[in-house]
Amino acid sequence: MIRHLSLKAYGKINLGLDVLRKREDGYHDVRMIMQTVRIYDHIDIDLRREPGITLSTNLFYLPVNENNLVYKAAKLLMDEFGITQGVNIRLKKIIPVAAGMAGGSSDAAAVLFGINKMFRLGLSQQELMTRGVKLGADVPYCVMRGTALSEGIGEILTPLPPPPHCKVLIAKPGISVSTKAVYENLHANELKPDQHPDIDGIIQAIQSQDLASLCHKMGNVLETVTLRQHPVIRNIKDFMMEHGADGAIMSGSGPTVFGLYSDPDAARTTYEQFHYAQSNELAKQVFLTEFFHNRNHFTKGENQ
């Protein structure tokens, strides 16, 4: 049995996000291109003799009980397999919170992986993904990671080849957005044809390794809601495009914006300009990163 695990929970962006319709059960059918990026939260899991789960985080406003997806993920597997020993979980958040980057879902996915490994439960990746959907629609993707087409409510996943190499500049303004509120205001069944991004075209651009075409076709239908409510998101997009980005869109339900840069020097310069005084009102958290492709790498060292 493993006594300690250190895990990396990577964030994601949406190279394309389309909502096809609102279903009668209240969920939405989506078609999304999901992409993991090299920004990650740190999660440490330690075995303890006493039963139960303890959770601590570096952010005072995050819950450390059943209202946290990390806690729910650990409890889901420990209850199912009747695990009587306990775990201490420490979560260090780096991925912006409530930002459209699936930080909470990725944390949950890493803990599913960790509990499975620590207690040698023998669950396959697919079995972890099946359990993950009980925690949230993005969790199965966060178990799989890499580049994928996501359909249904997000749980139907088709792996795709990695997109062409580029720098990814990520900027989150000093606001948070409720995913639930964005979808409630979308009115998906009333969208016009030209408001839907070309998901098939994005897939084609990825398969042909055509960065220019990928950037041209990128789109997020949720911008029709979030940009109207938060003009700063458009300002960030414009700032990136004016400073060398090949393309820039909002990720998920926002408010995070990312830009793709074929020119690494332009990406670095823009990253630095976001930190200048005149740009501070644009973004409070800025990252310069790249795509992440390793589907199976969660651990960064373990002691058995």
Side-chain angles (χ1 to χ4, degrees), residues 12-14 17 32 99-101 179 182-183 220 222-223 226 250-256 258:
K12 65 84 185 164
I13 56 175
N14 299 92
L17 195 164
M32 305 184 290
M101 294 187 67
T179 299
V182 171
Y183 274 96
N220 183 345
L222 298 183
E223 288 185 357
T226 315
M250 184 181 79
S251 183
S253 55
T256 299
F258 68 89

Short mmCIF file of all heavy atoms in Angstrom, two decimals, residues 12-14 17 32 99-101 179 182-183 220 222-223 226 250-256 258:
data_model
loop_
_atom_site.label_atom_id
_atom_site.label_comp_id
_atom_site.label_asym_id
_atom_site.label_seq_id
_atom_site.Cartn_x
_atom_site.Cartn_y
_atom_site.Cartn_z
N LYS A 12 -7.53 23.04 -18.13
CA LYS A 12 -7.86 22.88 -19.55
C LYS A 12 -8.36 24.20 -20.12
O LYS A 12 -8.80 25.11 -19.40
CB LYS A 12 -8.90 21.77 -19.76
CG LYS A 12 -10.30 22.06 -19.16
CD LYS A 12 -11.19 22.90 -20.05
CE LYS A 12 -12.50 23.24 -19.34
NZ LYS A 12 -13.23 24.36 -20.00
N ILE A 13 -8.30 24.27 -21.44
CA ILE A 13 -8.96 25.34 -22.18
C ILE A 13 -9.84 24.69 -23.24
O ILE A 13 -9.71 23.49 -23.52
CB ILE A 13 -7.96 26.32 -22.84
CG1 ILE A 13 -6.99 25.56 -23.75
CG2 ILE A 13 -7.23 27.12 -21.77
CD1 ILE A 13 -6.04 26.47 -24.53
N ASN A 14 -10.75 25.45 -23.81
CA ASN A 14 -11.61 24.98 -24.90
C ASN A 14 -11.19 25.65 -26.20
O ASN A 14 -11.37 26.86 -26.36
CB ASN A 14 -13.07 25.30 -24.62
CG ASN A 14 -13.59 24.66 -23.36
OD1 ASN A 14 -13.56 25.26 -22.29
ND2 ASN A 14 -14.05 23.43 -23.47
N LEU A 17 -16.07 25.60 -28.40
CA LEU A 17 -17.17 25.23 -27.49
C LEU A 17 -18.48 25.59 -28.15
O LEU A 17 -18.77 26.77 -28.39
CB LEU A 17 -17.02 25.95 -26.14
CG LEU A 17 -17.86 25.42 -24.97
CD1 LEU A 17 -17.33 25.96 -23.64
CD2 LEU A 17 -19.35 25.77 -25.10
N MET A 32 -17.40 20.14 -27.87
CA MET A 32 -16.30 20.96 -27.41
C MET A 32 -14.97 20.30 -27.79
O MET A 32 -14.87 19.07 -27.79
CB MET A 32 -16.35 21.14 -25.88
CG MET A 32 -17.66 21.70 -25.35
SD MET A 32 -17.60 22.01 -23.56
CE MET A 32 -17.56 20.31 -22.92
N ALA A 99 -13.06 29.91 -13.27
CA ALA A 99 -12.41 30.61 -14.37
C ALA A 99 -12.63 29.96 -15.73
O ALA A 99 -12.08 30.42 -16.72
CB ALA A 99 -10.92 30.71 -14.09
N GLY A 100 -13.39 28.86 -15.80
CA GLY A 100 -13.57 28.19 -17.09
C GLY A 100 -12.41 27.30 -17.47
O GLY A 100 -12.24 26.96 -18.64
N MET A 101 -11.60 26.88 -16.48
CA MET A 101 -10.44 26.02 -16.75
C MET A 101 -10.54 24.66 -16.08
O MET A 101 -9.56 23.91 -16.05
CB MET A 101 -9.15 26.73 -16.32
CG MET A 101 -8.84 27.97 -17.15
SD MET A 101 -7.22 28.67 -16.76
CE MET A 101 -6.14 27.35 -17.37
N THR A 179 -20.90 29.30 -13.96
CA THR A 179 -21.22 28.48 -15.14
C THR A 179 -22.73 28.26 -15.25
O THR A 179 -23.31 28.35 -16.34
CB THR A 179 -20.50 27.12 -15.05
OG1 THR A 179 -19.09 27.36 -15.02
CG2 THR A 179 -20.83 26.23 -16.23
N VAL A 182 -24.44 31.33 -16.65
CA VAL A 182 -24.17 31.53 -18.08
C VAL A 182 -25.07 30.63 -18.92
O VAL A 182 -25.71 31.08 -19.88
CB VAL A 182 -22.69 31.27 -18.40
CG1 VAL A 182 -22.46 31.24 -19.91
CG2 VAL A 182 -21.81 32.33 -17.76
N TYR A 183 -25.15 29.36 -18.55
CA TYR A 183 -25.99 28.43 -19.32
C TYR A 183 -27.47 28.79 -19.21
O TYR A 183 -28.23 28.65 -20.17
CB TYR A 183 -25.76 26.99 -18.85
CG TYR A 183 -24.59 26.33 -19.55
CD1 TYR A 183 -23.33 26.31 -18.98
CD2 TYR A 183 -24.75 25.73 -20.80
CE1 TYR A 183 -22.25 25.71 -19.62
CE2 TYR A 183 -23.69 25.12 -21.44
CZ TYR A 183 -22.44 25.11 -20.86
OH TYR A 183 -21.37 24.52 -21.50
N ASN A 220 -16.31 30.17 -29.23
CA ASN A 220 -16.97 29.77 -27.99
C ASN A 220 -18.34 30.42 -27.96
O ASN A 220 -18.46 31.64 -27.80
CB ASN A 220 -16.13 30.21 -26.79
CG ASN A 220 -16.73 29.77 -25.46
OD1 ASN A 220 -17.89 29.38 -25.38
ND2 ASN A 220 -15.93 29.84 -24.41
N LEU A 222 -20.51 30.47 -25.73
CA LEU A 222 -20.86 31.08 -24.45
C LEU A 222 -20.43 32.54 -24.37
O LEU A 222 -20.88 33.28 -23.49
CB LEU A 222 -20.26 30.28 -23.29
CG LEU A 222 -20.72 28.83 -23.16
CD1 LEU A 222 -20.10 28.18 -21.92
CD2 LEU A 222 -22.25 28.73 -23.10
N GLU A 223 -19.56 32.98 -25.29
CA GLU A 223 -19.20 34.39 -25.33
C GLU A 223 -20.43 35.26 -25.61
O GLU A 223 -20.45 36.44 -25.22
CB GLU A 223 -18.14 34.64 -26.40
CG GLU A 223 -16.75 34.12 -26.04
CD GLU A 223 -15.71 34.50 -27.07
OE1 GLU A 223 -16.06 35.12 -28.10
OE2 GLU A 223 -14.52 34.19 -26.85
N THR A 226 -21.43 35.82 -21.88
CA THR A 226 -20.48 36.35 -20.91
C THR A 226 -19.88 37.69 -21.34
O THR A 226 -19.67 38.58 -20.51
CB THR A 226 -19.37 35.33 -20.63
OG1 THR A 226 -19.96 34.03 -20.46
CG2 THR A 226 -18.62 35.67 -19.37
N MET A 250 -12.45 33.15 -25.25
CA MET A 250 -12.74 32.84 -23.86
C MET A 250 -12.75 31.33 -23.68
O MET A 250 -13.17 30.59 -24.57
CB MET A 250 -14.10 33.43 -23.48
CG MET A 250 -14.50 33.26 -22.03
SD MET A 250 -16.16 33.98 -21.74
CE MET A 250 -17.21 32.64 -22.38
N SER A 251 -12.30 30.85 -22.53
CA SER A 251 -12.34 29.42 -22.22
C SER A 251 -13.55 29.10 -21.35
O SER A 251 -13.85 29.81 -20.40
CB SER A 251 -11.07 29.01 -21.47
OG SER A 251 -11.08 27.61 -21.23
N GLY A 252 -14.24 28.02 -21.71
CA GLY A 252 -15.39 27.58 -20.93
C GLY A 252 -16.43 28.67 -20.80
O GLY A 252 -16.71 29.40 -21.75
N SER A 253 -16.98 28.81 -19.61
CA SER A 253 -17.97 29.86 -19.35
C SER A 253 -17.31 31.16 -18.93
O SER A 253 -18.00 32.13 -18.61
CB SER A 253 -18.95 29.39 -18.28
OG SER A 253 -18.26 29.00 -17.11
N GLY A 254 -15.97 31.19 -18.95
CA GLY A 254 -15.23 32.39 -18.63
C GLY A 254 -14.98 32.52 -17.13
O GLY A 254 -15.35 31.66 -16.34
N PRO A 255 -14.35 33.64 -16.77
CA PRO A 255 -13.98 34.78 -17.61
C PRO A 255 -12.58 34.70 -18.21
O PRO A 255 -12.11 35.63 -18.84
CB PRO A 255 -14.05 35.94 -16.63
CG PRO A 255 -13.56 35.34 -15.34
CD PRO A 255 -14.09 33.93 -15.33
N THR A 256 -11.88 33.55 -18.02
CA THR A 256 -10.52 33.43 -18.52
C THR A 256 -10.49 33.51 -20.05
O THR A 256 -11.33 32.93 -20.73
CB THR A 256 -9.89 32.10 -18.06
OG1 THR A 256 -9.85 32.10 -16.64
CG2 THR A 256 -8.49 31.93 -18.60
N PHE A 258 -7.75 33.02 -23.41
CA PHE A 258 -6.43 32.55 -23.81
C PHE A 258 -6.13 32.98 -25.24
O PHE A 258 -7.03 33.12 -26.06
CB PHE A 258 -6.30 31.03 -23.68
CG PHE A 258 -7.13 30.25 -24.66
CD1 PHE A 258 -6.63 29.90 -25.92
CD2 PHE A 258 -8.42 29.84 -24.34
CE1 PHE A 258 -7.39 29.19 -26.83
CE2 PHE A 258 -9.19 29.13 -25.24
CZ PHE A 258 -8.68 28.81 -26.50
#
